[in-house]
Amino acid sequence: MKANLKTNMAWLGVMVIGFVVIDGLELMGVINSFIENMLVTIGINVILAVGLNLIIGFAGQFSLGHAGFMAIGAYATGIMTQTMATPAGFYLSMIVGMVIAMVAAVIVGIPTLRLRGDYLAIATMGAAEIIRILINNLKITNGAAGLFNIPALASWATVYVLMCLTTIITVNFIHSRGGRAVMAVRDDELAAGAMGINTTRWKLAAFVFGAATAAIGGSLHAAYIQTIAPGDFNIMASIAILIIVVLGGVGSITGTFVAAIVLGALDTILQNFGTIRMIIYSLALILIMIFKPAGLLGTWEFSFARLFRRRSTKEAVNQVASRILCK
């Protein structure tokens, strides 16, 4: 219990320090609007990729439908904040988007999660396309033209806080009894079922959880960019999130953070290279995957609990050694 409290306090301290540092740099003028936009993009990508990593890395379900759930969150915020242009309206729209995305995930997940591998990827990709096509043909979403002049109700601080909250909730779920059940299903579904684990239930739970985080990312995207269109949520958007997960390491939340930061910074740095930017960007990805095929961090996770255990072990060894020497 003490170890968990120490770990939670340590992570809370890191989050507070990160917030203070970014706020201080912005006040000093070091962080301008260009860099702030990069930080917001990285934060939204972290939220999206952490949810997708839960589905792919921890539940073992290869999904390509993340952009569809992101679109639901974005359009829920875009539509509702047109008449409720207040912070309360924004957070209400985010909750509505999450609920709709979770319902959609249940509808999609019940028939598709019985599939595996490439078949599941194709099914989820088809589901995301259905969502995009529906948005493209509805009057309330303004069809292919999309929504403009969405109230700017999300700042870097909003994205930062929600990024921290979604990561904490996801990590706690992974380390909970439900998370262990999800990973057991990933490692061996037949063995997990033989042990009494409801495999379909836990696969669906991870899928729905990931859809909810995607809706949060979509809401933040709409409220910060202020303009959305159906084309923003096509298959390439899902693949872009998948690249972050694979590059960082499938099954590593720490890797997801590192990959999102590296790719976000790389994309920003290459803005000055014009049309050859995507060539350099793609070449960098190819080289990384050649030399680090398991991702930048593989399945490794940074853990304060591990550091505390090492320190406690070292202190215990030193105490024993001092006692022996004293004798």
Side-chain angles (χ1 to χ4, degrees):
M1 192 70 179
K2 284 184 178 180
N4 289 335
L5 181 60
K6 277 185 178 181
T7 301
N8 290 333
M9 292 302 293
W11 280 117
L12 180 61
V14 168
M15 292 171 188
V16 172
I17 290 169
F19 186 91
V20 171
V21 168
I22 295 173
D23 191 45
L25 290 174
E26 188 173 44
L27 289 173
M28 289 187 291
V30 176
I31 295 178
N32 54 26
S33 58
F34 185 70
I35 297 176
E36 181 183 321
N37 183 66
M38 180 191 75
L39 293 176
V40 169
T41 302
I42 290 172
I44 293 172
N45 285 340
V46 166
I47 293 171
L48 295 168
V50 165
L52 185 59
N53 206 350
L54 174 65
I55 297 170
I56 296 176
F58 295 93
Q61 308 303 310
F62 190 26
S63 171
L64 282 176
H66 224 52
F69 302 121
M70 182 185 177
I72 291 173
Y75 272 90
T77 293
I79 293 167
M80 291 183 66
T81 53
Q82 297 290 330
T83 54
M84 294 185 292
T86 62
F90 167 62
Y91 290 112
L92 178 62
S93 72
M94 185 180 292
I95 293 169
V96 170
M98 287 173 63
V99 171
I100 296 172
M102 291 167 75
V103 171
V106 170
I107 295 170
V108 171
I110 289 174
T112 61
L113 290 178
R114 299 178 188 278
L115 303 172
R116 295 181 184 178
D118 299 340
Y119 300 103
L120 176 60
I122 293 169
T124 52
M125 181 178 68
E129 278 299 292
I130 290 171
I131 293 170
R132 190 182 68 82
I133 291 167
L134 283 173
I135 290 172
N136 199 42
N137 290 277
L138 291 175
K139 288 185 179 179
I140 193 172
T141 60
N142 201 29
L147 299 175
F148 302 89
N149 299 321
I150 299 169
L153 296 169
S155 63
W156 73 264
T158 311
V159 174
Y160 183 90
V161 171
L162 286 171
M163 178 190 73
C164 293
L165 285 175
T166 53
T167 304
I168 289 170
I169 294 169
T170 304
V171 171
N172 283 333
F173 173 75
I174 291 168
H175 291 117
S176 69
R177 183 168 175 257
R180 290 192 292 273
V182 166
M183 287 186 282
V185 174
R186 174 200 65 186
D187 294 335
D188 194 324
E189 188 171 344
L190 290 175
M195 292 296 292
I197 296 173
N198 188 330
T199 58
T200 302
R201 173 190 170 191
W202 287 112
K203 285 194 294 184
L204 185 62
F207 191 68
V208 170
F209 194 109
T213 60
I216 293 172
S219 292
L220 291 170
H221 173 82
Y224 186 79
I225 301 298
Q226 298 181 262
T227 301
I228 54 175
D232 299 337
F233 310 103
N234 56 21
I235 181 61
M236 292 309 299
S238 292
I239 292 174
I241 305 164
L242 178 64
I243 288 172
I244 295 173
V245 173
V246 174
L247 182 63
V250 177
S252 172
I253 300 298
T254 309
T256 297
F257 270 78
V258 172
I261 293 168
V262 169
L263 292 180
L266 186 63
D267 189 53
T268 303
I269 292 168
L270 294 176
Q271 291 288 337
N272 296 327
F273 287 86
T275 54
I276 67 168
R277 177 172 63 91
M278 290 310 298
I279 297 174
I280 299 172
Y281 184 79
S282 301
L283 183 61
L285 289 176
I286 291 169
L287 291 173
I288 290 171
M289 294 314 298
I290 288 172
F291 293 104
K292 293 286 291 183
L296 293 173
L297 298 184
T299 57
W300 183 83
E301 294 280 14
F302 177 80
S303 172
F304 278 113
R306 192 183 302 118
L307 292 177
F308 291 143
R309 282 197 299 271
R310 286 179 181 175
R311 182 181 294 178
S312 300
T313 304
K314 189 176 180 181
E315 289 174 355
V317 170
N318 289 336
Q319 288 176 2
V320 172
S322 63
R323 288 175 185 174
I324 293 172
L325 292 172
C326 288
K327 289 181 179 180

